[in-house]
Amino acid sequence: MTAIDDTPKPRLTLKAGLARAWESDLAWSFRHSPVAMVAAAMTVILLAASLGANWIAPQDAFDPAALNLLDAYTKPGEAGMGSNTVYWLGTDNQGRDLFSAILYGSRVSLFVGFSSVAFSVVMGVGLGLLAGYLGGRTDAFIMRVADIQLSFPAILIALLFFGVARGLIPPSQHEQMAIWVLIVAIGLSNWAQYARTVRGSTMVERSKEYVQAARVMGRPPIFIMARHILPNVTGPVLVIATINLALAIIEEATLSFLGVGVPATQPSLGTLIRFGQQYLFSGEWWILFFPALALVLLALSINLLGDWLRDALNPKLR
């Protein structure tokens, strides 16, 4: 009779888990990529600064009572006429500190970017799983809709959805619902990429033995898709989501620059750029330059991080 070994097995401690993660292929690739490390550091700094705007910013950019019109058009590094405060990035036409406005504006842009990407991921992954697993007419219908949407630029799709939603919402709620309408519009314009990617991976996975075994055991299709197939198709989705985060931030800035995005009471980086471009040729160059620089650094760092992640998760490029 075989003896049963009932000795307790050592649990994986947090320190051991971090050590294993540090020695993984992904961590090794990150440590040997200076571009990825610089991009990650820049992304973390910008994200932490925007989240901590309430404590870091010297002025509440959303509070009209904190503005001083006598400090309007103060040059970078100079003190305002109405106060002894030194504005390191200057002020705008209302005496608003640009450094504070950029921190608060980055927070709005990041919130819209993360939320819209999350919305498009949930929608695209769900439809891609259904199309790839069920096939037939369901697959044909979802993919034809995706093909039609991919034939148009994402900004035009977002403008269409934004206009339709604004028409359905009462005018008294336009300002309160503007950010949520923007999130849905950007999310609806980018779901097709995830759906096509997940559909292709799902069609490969559904014919494998572990999926066939789950079917024989009587598992419902929704359980098989969520428990067995979904974990094996998240790699490409993560890469696309990281790259699309930068694109979503730029798309939000574009819509806000066109005047159909975030309201003036909750300025984002795009809104600040729209205001600043009016003073580009009048001498107040800093009103446009610093918000535009913040947008470029934010989008570029996230995009470079996404490019590294794409290469690191692709075994053919190792």
Side-chain angles (χ1 to χ4, degrees):
M1 187 172 183
T2 305
I4 300 177
D5 185 11
D6 56 353
T7 57
K9 297 182 179 180
R11 295 184 177 180
L12 184 64
T13 62
L14 177 61
K15 184 178 180 180
L18 293 176
R20 290 182 58 182
W22 181 254
E23 297 299 330
S24 63
D25 294 340
L26 191 64
W28 183 92
S29 176
F30 179 79
R31 296 197 305 270
H32 290 78
S33 176
V35 175
M37 290 190 292
V38 172
M42 183 63 66
T43 302
V44 171
I45 291 173
L46 294 174
L47 182 61
S50 62
L51 293 178
N54 293 340
W55 300 276
I56 300 175
Q59 183 186 88
D60 188 353
F62 294 162
D63 185 10
L67 305 181
N68 192 339
L69 293 178
L70 294 177
D71 292 345
Y73 303 115
T74 301
K75 294 183 179 180
E78 295 185 358
M81 295 179 59
S83 64
N84 295 325
T85 304
V86 176
Y87 299 101
W88 296 109
L89 300 184
T91 62
D92 59 8
N93 61 326
Q94 298 178 349
R96 178 170 50 189
D97 178 31
L98 274 182
F99 177 67
S100 303
I102 289 172
L103 292 181
Y104 280 93
S106 300
R107 184 165 63 181
V108 174
S109 297
L110 284 169
F111 174 74
V112 173
F114 276 107
S115 301
S116 60
V117 167
F119 180 84
S120 58
V121 165
V122 172
M123 181 178 179
V125 170
L127 293 176
L129 284 172
L130 289 175
Y133 186 82
L134 299 179
R137 294 182 178 179
T138 303
D139 178 28
F141 176 75
I142 295 176
M143 287 300 101
R144 295 301 76 75
V145 174
D147 291 340
I148 293 173
Q149 179 163 327
L150 289 174
S151 63
F152 296 94
I155 189 67
L156 293 181
I157 300 296
L159 281 171
L160 174 63
F161 286 126
F162 189 89
V164 171
R166 293 272 291 189
L168 297 176
I169 296 175
S172 59
Q173 299 182 5
H174 280 180
E175 187 170 330
Q176 293 84 351
M177 298 295 295
I179 291 182
W180 300 107
V181 172
L182 189 62
I183 290 172
V184 174
I186 297 176
L188 288 174
S189 66
N190 294 316
W191 68 270
Q193 304 177 40
Y194 301 97
R196 290 180 64 89
T197 302
V198 172
R199 171 196 178 252
S201 301
T202 303
M203 294 179 68
V204 174
E205 296 295 327
R206 71 177 182 181
S207 59
K208 293 186 177 180
E209 294 181 356
Y210 72 94
V211 176
Q212 301 296 335
R215 288 177 176 173
V216 172
M217 294 173 62
R219 300 294 188 182
I222 188 66
F223 180 86
I224 297 176
M225 287 186 285
R227 180 65 178 84
H228 298 288
I229 298 179
L230 181 59
N232 294 306
V233 300
T234 54
V237 171
L238 181 61
V239 175
I240 298 175
T242 305
I243 296 176
N244 274 1
L245 176 59
L247 297 178
I249 293 174
I250 295 176
E251 195 170 346
E252 178 277 323
T254 304
L255 292 173
S256 298
F257 181 81
L258 295 175
V260 296
V262 180
T265 56
Q266 297 176 320
S268 65
L269 292 178
T271 308
L272 296 175
I273 293 173
R274 177 165 63 91
F275 291 155
Q277 61 91 22
Q278 305 174 14
Y279 305 96
L280 180 60
F281 299 104
S282 61
E284 293 81 13
W285 53 270
W286 60 90
I287 302 178
L288 172 65
F289 177 76
F290 289 115
L293 179 62
L295 177 63
V296 170
L297 291 177
L298 182 60
L300 181 62
S301 59
I302 296 175
N303 201 14
L304 291 176
L305 199 59
D307 289 341
W308 161 79
L309 189 62
R310 177 195 59 195
D311 297 341
L313 294 178
N314 190 350
K316 296 181 180 179
L317 298 177
R318 294 179 184 175

